[in-house]
């Protein structure tokens, strides 16, 4: 039974990351641009870096989600502030206009791996996404984020992000 639940935690991270990474965004488009302007190995290094950053952002979301849960338990009216915050954040990302200038440096001044880290860090949209996913999975009582199960969840996120970027 425990092996099964560990595997399930991995797949929650994997599928959550794939679903979250399907939509076009700066990271996905940078992978396509890098593949066209440079080569596939450079794009693979970029994908690896972006996957590592995604794991860090998901971990931040886990910590932030725990903090929000505690504050909501202490102050039920805090829930309205959280809802308002995420609504405004969602509007910002929906209405935000990307600059036509590419964020990716393809001149070779920086490595593809470093570019992947920079572009992923500058696009923290995955943090609110993971907070939402984590809240949903926890409300359904299907997610356990402690010890090895947390690591399996994070490994699933890394593999899912890398996979979806490689597909691009």
């Amino acid at each position: 039974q425990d092996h099964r639940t560990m595997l399930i935690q991995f797949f929650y991270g994997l599928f959550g990351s794939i679903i979250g990474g399907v939509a076009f965004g700066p990271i996905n488009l940078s992978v396509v641009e890098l593949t066209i302007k440079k080569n596939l190995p450079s794009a693979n290094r970029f994908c690896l870096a972006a996957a590592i950053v995604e794991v860090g952002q998901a971990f931040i979301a886990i910590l932030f989600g725990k903090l929000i849960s505690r504050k909501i338990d202490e102050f039920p009216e805090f829930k309205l502030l959280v809802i308002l915050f995420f609504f405004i954040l969602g509007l910002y990302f929906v209405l935000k206009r990307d600059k036509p200038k590419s964020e990716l440096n393809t001149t070779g001044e920086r490595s593809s791996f470093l570019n992947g880290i920079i572009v992923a860090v500058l696009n923290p949209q995955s943090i609110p996404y993971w907070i939402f996913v984590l809240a949903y999975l926890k409300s359904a009582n299907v997610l356990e984020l402690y010890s090895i199960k947390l690591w399996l969840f994070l490994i699933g996120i890394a593999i899912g992000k890398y996979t979806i970027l490689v597909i691009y």
Side-chain angles (χ1 to χ4, degrees):
Q1 175 68 8
D2 197 41
H3 287 18
R4 183 173 166 234
T5 59
M6 290 190 323
L7 193 58
I8 289 170
Q9 303 306 303
F10 170 80
F11 281 112
Y12 283 142
L14 181 77
F15 293 132
S17 189
I18 288 172
I19 291 167
V22 168
F24 284 112
I27 297 170
N28 305 21
L29 297 175
S30 294
V31 168
V32 173
E33 179 183 6
L34 185 58
T35 304
I36 293 169
K37 289 187 176 181
K38 283 194 174 183
N39 55 38
L40 196 54
S42 292
N44 278 329
R45 287 189 296 276
F46 183 95
C47 294
L48 179 62
I52 291 169
V53 171
E54 179 92 6
V55 169
Q57 292 173 336
F59 190 72
I60 290 169
I62 290 168
L63 296 176
F64 192 63
K66 287 180 181 180
L67 176 70
I68 289 173
S69 293
R70 270 189 264 139
K71 291 299 175 189
I72 287 174
D73 289 343
E74 290 176 30
F75 308 102
E77 54 277 346
F78 186 70
K79 189 183 295 187
L80 292 173
L81 287 174
V82 171
I83 292 168
L84 181 64
F85 171 77
F86 282 111
F87 180 74
I88 291 170
L89 189 65
L91 278 177
Y92 168 76
F93 285 123
V94 167
L95 300 175
K96 176 179 101 163
R97 302 205 180 200
D98 290 330
K99 296 175 183 147
K101 180 181 170 188
S102 173
E103 295 181 46
L104 181 64
N105 178 358
T106 57
T107 62
E109 295 172 16
R110 289 192 300 248
S111 74
S112 300
F113 187 82
L114 183 59
N115 274 332
I117 289 175
I118 291 169
V119 172
V121 166
L122 293 176
N123 294 287
Q125 295 96 328
S126 67
I127 294 173
Y129 168 76
W130 282 111
I131 289 173
F132 172 77
V133 169
L134 291 163
Y136 175 77
L137 292 173
K138 284 192 152 254
S139 71
N141 290 322
V142 295
L143 190 62
E144 300 174 32
L145 294 177
Y146 57 88
S147 68
I148 190 72
K149 293 177 183 177
L150 170 63
W151 285 106
L152 289 169
F153 181 74
L154 294 173
I155 290 167
I157 290 171
I159 292 172
K161 181 68 169 188
Y162 181 80
T163 300
I164 199 69
L165 290 176
V166 166
I167 290 170
Y168 269 97

